[in-house]
Amino acid sequence: MPRRRPAPSDHSRHLILSLPLLPISASQSRRRLHDHLMANQVPARVRADVVSATEEAVVNALMHSRAPSGTVQVTALVFDGRVEVTVRDDGRGFDPSALDAQHPPDPLEAHGRGLFLVRALMDEVQIDSGEHGTTIR
């Protein structure tokens, strides 16, 4: 009788990272997320977009959160042909309604493209932010 490959466990489809608020964390999250998505057979184009959007969210946390814990958490779950990523910090938060999602940011500005790029790359983006931190899904 032919042997079947066992279905991946839920654990293998779930990535959890807790990273220090240091510049190296952006590349660490990028590399670990890429490997996780590749292991779960996420198509290359989707993988590239998810990794790029996640890196933008992580860089925003590194630059702006001032999280008391000194960490940013990244979780990724692959299920039913979808990828769900959450980037969370416990920093000072911001007002998401103040962002102009309809117009591209000024290309001459040094900052301000991160969340615009996240929204452009992802099918759905939810931003929850307040005095106890920010969560981007």
Side-chain angles (χ1 to χ4, degrees), residues 25-113:
S25 293
S27 63
Q28 289 174 339
S29 68
R30 183 178 57 242
R31 188 172 25 261
R32 298 275 308 275
L33 180 59
H34 176 272
D35 293 349
H36 175 72
L37 298 176
M38 198 158 174
N40 281 282
Q41 302 174 346
V42 173
R45 182 69 198 148
V46 173
R47 191 169 59 238
D49 287 350
V50 169
V51 168
S52 294
T54 302
E55 182 177 22
E56 289 295 334
V58 168
V59 168
N60 276 357
L62 298 174
M63 290 179 64
H64 305 295
S65 75
R66 296 185 189 154
S69 67
T71 62
V72 59
Q73 289 77 40
V74 178
T75 61
L77 180 62
V78 179
F79 63 100
D80 297 333
R82 294 180 47 98
V83 178
E84 183 176 297
V85 176
T86 302
V87 177
R88 178 176 293 127
D89 66 63
D90 64 344
R92 61 187 174 150
F94 68 99
D95 179 6
S97 68
L99 299 173
D100 182 0
Q102 303 305 317
H103 299 93
D106 183 342
L108 300 178
E109 289 293 322
H111 302 287
R113 290 179 288 283

